[in-house]
C-alpha cells in the first residue's frame, strides 16, 4: 500500500492524475513483488481522489476538471502503451483486442471500461498533438462527449471516480511494467514529472 500525502484541497487535474498514476504503479509493483495481494485496494488513494472530486463539485467545476483529469490519464496511458508496444499498428491492435475484452467483461449496467476505451481511441488517433496546439482543443471536445455522457445526474462524483480509477489502474500497471516493477525507479520517474 502506498502512503503518498493526500491530494490537497482544490487540486489541479494534472496533479491528481500524477498522484493516481504514482499510487497505482507503486501498488502494482508491490503486488507483483508479493508484498501484498492484488485484491488489496488502496483506500488512501480512493479517499484522496474522492476528496478532489468533491472539491471540484463544491466549486462547480466537477465536469470540466474531471474531463481534464481523464485526458491526463488517457494521454499517459497511451504514451506508456506506445513505449511498450513500439509502434502505432501494435497500439491499434492492442486497443481493439483489449477493448473487446473490456466490453465482454463489463456487463453491468453502467461500466466505465467501454467509455475509457472510446476515450483511449481518440487519444491514440491524436498521438502527435501537443497541449498548446489548437488540435488539442478539438481532442478535448472529442473526449468530452463520451466522458460527459458517462456522468449521470446525481452520480457525477461516483462516475468520475470510476472512470479516473479505471484509467489510473491501467496506466499504473503499464508504467510499472515499463519500469520493471521497480518501486525506486517508479518513484524517481514520478518525482521528475512532478517537479
Amino acid at each position: 500500500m502506498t502512503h503518498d500525502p493526500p491530494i490537497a484541497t482544490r487540486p489541479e487535474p494534472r496533479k491528481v492524475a500524477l498522484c493516481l498514476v504514482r499510487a497505482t504503479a507503486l501498488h502494482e509493483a508491490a503486488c507483483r513483488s508479493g508484498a501484498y495481494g492484488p485484491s488489496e485496494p488502496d483506500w488512501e488513494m480512493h479517499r484522496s481522489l474522492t476528496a478532489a472530486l468533491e472539491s471540484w463539485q463544491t466549486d462547480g467545476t466537477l465536469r470540466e476538471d474531471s474531463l481534464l483529469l481523464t485526458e491526463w490519464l488517457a494521454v499517459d496511458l497511451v504514451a506508456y502503451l506506445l513505449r511498450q508496444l513500439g509502434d502505432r499498428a501494435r497500439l491499434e491492435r492492442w486497443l481493439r483486442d483489449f477493448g473487446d475484452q473490456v466490453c465482454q467483461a463489463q456487463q453491468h449496467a453502467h461500466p466505465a471500461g467501454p467509455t475509457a476505451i472510446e476515450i483511449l481511441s481518440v487519444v491514440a488517433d491524436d498521438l502527435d498533438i501537443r497541449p498548446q496546439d489548437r488540435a488539442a482543443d478539438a481532442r478535448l471536445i472529442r473526449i468530452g462527449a463520451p466522458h460527459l455522457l458517462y456522468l449521470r445526474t446525481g452520480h457525477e462524483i461516483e462516475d468520475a471516480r470510476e472512470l479516473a480509477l479505471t484509467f489510473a489502474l491501467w496506466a499504473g500497471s503499464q508504467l510499472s511494467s515499463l519500469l520493471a516493477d521497480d518501486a525506486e525507479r517508479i518513484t524517481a520517474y514520478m518525482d521528475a514529472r512532478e517537479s
Side-chain angles (χ1 to χ4, degrees):
M1 176 140 347
T2 62
H3 295 289
D4 288 331
I7 299 170
T9 304
R10 190 59 182 102
E12 296 175 28
R14 175 186 177 274
K15 290 185 180 191
V16 175
L18 292 174
C19 184
L20 290 171
V21 170
R22 175 192 293 266
T24 56
L26 290 171
H27 181 88
E28 188 70 22
C31 288
R32 291 179 186 163
S33 72
Y36 52 87
S39 62
E40 194 174 323
D42 186 338
W43 290 113
E44 185 177 333
M45 178 185 68
H46 189 273
R47 283 188 296 274
S48 295
L49 173 58
T50 301
L53 295 169
E54 287 172 346
S55 170
W56 295 338
Q57 185 177 49
T58 299
D59 291 346
T61 63
L62 176 63
R63 289 181 172 269
E64 297 86 353
D65 285 340
S66 66
L67 174 59
L68 292 172
L69 171 62
T70 296
E71 182 186 33
W72 271 102
L73 292 167
V75 168
D76 271 12
L77 175 55
V78 168
Y80 301 148
L81 286 166
L82 188 59
R83 179 69 188 251
Q84 193 161 10
L85 298 171
D87 62 50
R88 285 183 136 159
R90 290 178 72 192
L91 174 62
E92 289 171 12
R93 254 190 323 274
W94 183 91
L95 275 171
R96 276 192 311 274
D97 294 344
F98 187 66
D100 288 345
Q101 291 172 13
V102 166
C103 289
Q104 289 175 7
Q106 295 194 355
Q107 296 297 319
H108 52 87
H110 193 64
T115 299
I117 293 296
E118 186 176 352
I119 291 169
L120 279 177
S121 296
V122 170
V123 173
D125 284 345
D126 295 335
L127 284 175
D128 301 324
I129 292 178
R130 301 281 180 236
Q132 65 274 17
D133 292 346
R134 284 180 115 14
D137 294 336
R139 177 179 68 197
L140 192 57
I141 291 168
R142 289 175 54 213
I143 291 170
H147 177 271
L148 295 174
L149 287 172
Y150 184 75
L151 303 182
R152 298 169 295 171
T153 302
H155 299 275
E156 289 91 349
I157 289 177
E158 172 190 339
D159 293 345
R161 181 178 54 229
E162 187 69 23
L163 201 52
L165 288 174
T166 297
F167 276 114
L169 291 171
W170 294 348
S173 178
Q174 292 300 321
L175 177 59
S176 186
S177 292
L178 273 174
L179 299 179
D181 301 320
D182 183 328
E184 288 182 17
R185 288 178 66 196
I186 293 167
T187 299
Y189 170 77
M190 294 308 298
D191 286 351
R193 288 195 67 199
E194 290 173 356
S195 60

